[in-house]
Amino acid sequence: MLTIALLVCSNVFMTFAWYGHLKYPHWPLWQAILISWAIAFFEYLLMVPANRWGYGQFTAVQLKTIQEIVTLSVFAGFAVLWLGESLRWNHLVAFGCLVAAAFFMFWE
């Protein structure tokens, strides 16, 4: 569970680093880049240990699958809460397909 918790936390930082500046289109590009890099530093502080400690409990492919599902879950909340976008039915269907993919990834 520590691995998944670290992946969730790192993805919150990652999402803000990559997409948080979209709420501020008036920022100069250089400023958005510097702020994004500063935020991404904290993502790496969490992502690297998550993968290091999770490897062995999970395969590399399983870790990546978990990370992608966590990323999309965090991003969905971010898009709604931070950017004010709405999720549509097709987004939920696509997410369901990813959950199905994860099911097959872990099926042995």
Side-chain angles (χ1 to χ4, degrees):
M1 288 313 269
L2 176 62
T3 297
I4 294 172
L6 288 170
L7 288 174
V8 169
C9 293
S10 73
N11 272 279
V12 169
F13 283 106
M14 179 194 73
T15 301
F16 273 96
W18 288 12
Y19 302 101
H21 60 87
L22 297 178
K23 194 170 181 177
Y24 305 101
H26 60 280
W27 284 359
L29 183 57
W30 67 267
Q31 184 179 4
I33 291 170
L34 287 178
I35 291 170
S36 293
W37 271 93
I39 296 169
F41 172 76
F42 296 100
E43 175 214 346
Y44 278 83
L45 286 178
L46 297 167
M47 181 67 76
V48 172
N51 287 321
R52 175 77 55 115
W53 295 334
Y55 187 64
Q57 178 183 5
F58 302 105
T59 66
V61 175
Q62 289 172 332
L63 277 170
K64 183 61 178 173
T65 302
I66 294 167
Q67 187 267 331
E68 291 300 331
I69 290 173
V70 167
T71 297
L72 289 173
S73 300
V74 168
F75 186 80
F78 173 85
V80 171
L81 298 172
W82 183 256
L83 296 176
E85 297 183 3
S86 58
L87 296 179
R88 298 190 313 254
W89 69 269
N90 56 320
H91 300 145
L92 299 175
V93 170
F95 186 73
C97 290
L98 289 170
V99 170
F103 170 79
F104 287 109
M105 183 61 64
F106 287 90
W107 185 18
E108 292 189 27

